[in-house]
Amino acid sequence: MQIDREAILQAKEKLGDRNAQIIVEELGITDFDEKNMKCCCPFHQEDHASFIYNKKAFNFRCFGSCGRSYDILDVFMYKGATYAEACKKLFELAEMPYSFGELGVKTKRHYRYPHEVPCTDKSKVYAYFEQRKISRETLDALDVRQDSEGNAVFNYYDTNDVLTMVKYKPSHKVQHGQAKCWCQQNSDTAPLLFNMNRINVNSPLLICEGEPDCLSAIEAGFKNAVSVPLGSSNLHWIDENLEWLDQFESIIICADNDDAGVKMQKECVPRLGSWRTKVVDIPAIPIGNTGRVTKDLNEILYVCGKDKVLELILDAKDSPVPSVADLSDVEPTEYEDVDGVTTGLKAIDDELMRLFFGTLTIVSGQPGSGKSSLLTQLACNSLDNDIGTWLFSGELPNGVEKSWFNYIFAGPRNITDAISRRGNPYKKISTTTLAEINKTYKGRWHIYRDDYDNTLDKLIASMTDTVRKYGARCLILDNFMCIDTETSEEELRSQTDTIKKLIEFAKKYQVAVILVCHPRKMDAGTNVGIYDIAGTSNIVNLAHRTIGLRRVTDAERENAAKYSEKRRQLLKYDVIVTIVKDRMFGRQNIDVGLYYDPASRRFFGDMDEYDRRFSWDKKEYKEPLPLPPQLLAEERASEDEAFGAVNDREG
């Protein structure tokens, strides 16, 4: 349930200065100066009034040491209400009708909701967290419980105040090999944020890496804190709670100061919005004589106390302005360290390394040269490496595109000959194999729907939503001619603007964007060159890389003697892939050859690539896969050459 922020503001406006009176009464403040609207802060010791009411914001703010900001909702939650309950009480005081029909309602269909863990004793949980400087009051306020085995139980509630996930952690130091946490059996695990039903969406939100860190922030006085549910590397909580997260004007990320925490921080900031996101730097402070240093907020609480925890949160650093960088802080790029998308084809990856995130790659080629097959294979490789993929296929319907994917994923071992009802032979994939493929890659590949407009703005909006909500990092547009740029300007300028927008998108979200462009009319047997891409020359000039494909013709093979040795070596392949331009490495016109298997729609350069098994395929095969005709011919040619060399020596 998402409560209208405008309605909340109207309720506060209707109450006016009664907001201050209610806050003072609820907090038990006795020294309130009604004329100057200030008093001593009730949350720490002080001898002068620093807790001052803001009539425009309808809240108190401490200008002393704690820096807390409290509105009427914060006070109701401080007294034990959830956010929804606090809003309900506010609307009642303001005599404003508002529907809370979803409060307490289980809205997820077919979801296996967990059961409440009965709790009659919390002694072990209290004792364990007392060692970590977290009080009973904080544990009780967040409904942390203890199960019959003495484990800590963390209850995850949705914004309807419905128990939706239950997570367990041992209330003792975990030994090597023991589980650090687990979720309730026979119930589902929606990736909610711990404590999200007690959060004031009108105040800055602190997102911690673990429940103890969230408890530590609240113990220190920062109540608007949540923690991620299933570890730093699992970011599905962004997808699940995106609409809720979008309400916040300010978000603070507090991850551990280890490699996993740094990675979480880097991935969260652009997806949550760098304009509103701050980050907490956890300092490395020695922990007694253990030889270890602090790496999370709970250890800061243990070593340094509450004031230091609050200081770190309030001093969180702004994310830098995305459009500028201090050049002295810029590290020279070492491409070995830059992430990206590989094709899974050694011949191409040896030359390009990978299609780097933040770049635009153009793929072109003559009709029937395999452009769509190559990009579909690239997408399959990305998905198999856990890189989410988005695809716009302007020429092939969604169902046909999926069949193309399935054949590549299945591979030659899982494709059989079949006869259609009309007696025509065709290649078939079993329903079991299709089900396994679908299950393995579900939630990670997304295709632009056939019934949506192909305008550039709509496509970029879809790309943006898919990157932010699902974390996609490989985005393919097939092809340029199918994109409606919705502009009245002359065509070449429109094409240039489109390329610039795609490059801007790739850089902003640090993703790999691949765009298919058709070539001008070309003679058979001619490689795609810099000036052969249809449209403005800026397509090639602006793109980071341009790749061209063409089929090897029978005429070329028949006239092989006319060509150079280098070109003759390529004629054994089905397709020649030309790296037309590579701005990353400053090269151009590099040719590599690939074979093509029509049955599996796969490109390959050797037997390993032909017989590649994607991660869905867990079967054990006892028999080797027969060589495809291309590799069989190559093997025989090598044997003939070796035999001829022996005869020459013996002669």
Side-chain angles (χ1 to χ4, degrees), residues 413 613 619-625:
R413 287 187 183 273
R613 294 170 59 189
K619 291 179 281 189
E620 294 184 6
Y621 299 99
K622 297 181 180 179
E623 298 296 327
L625 187 67

Side-chain angles (χ1 to χ4, degrees), residues 263-291:
K263 184 178 180 182
M264 169 186 159
Q265 176 183 300
K266 285 183 176 179
E267 292 186 2
C268 286
V269 167
R271 290 183 65 182
L272 296 174
S274 59
W275 65 90
R276 61 170 178 168
T277 307
K278 296 183 178 182
V279 295
V280 175
D281 282 341
I282 301 293
I285 300 171
I287 304 176
N289 297 319
T290 63

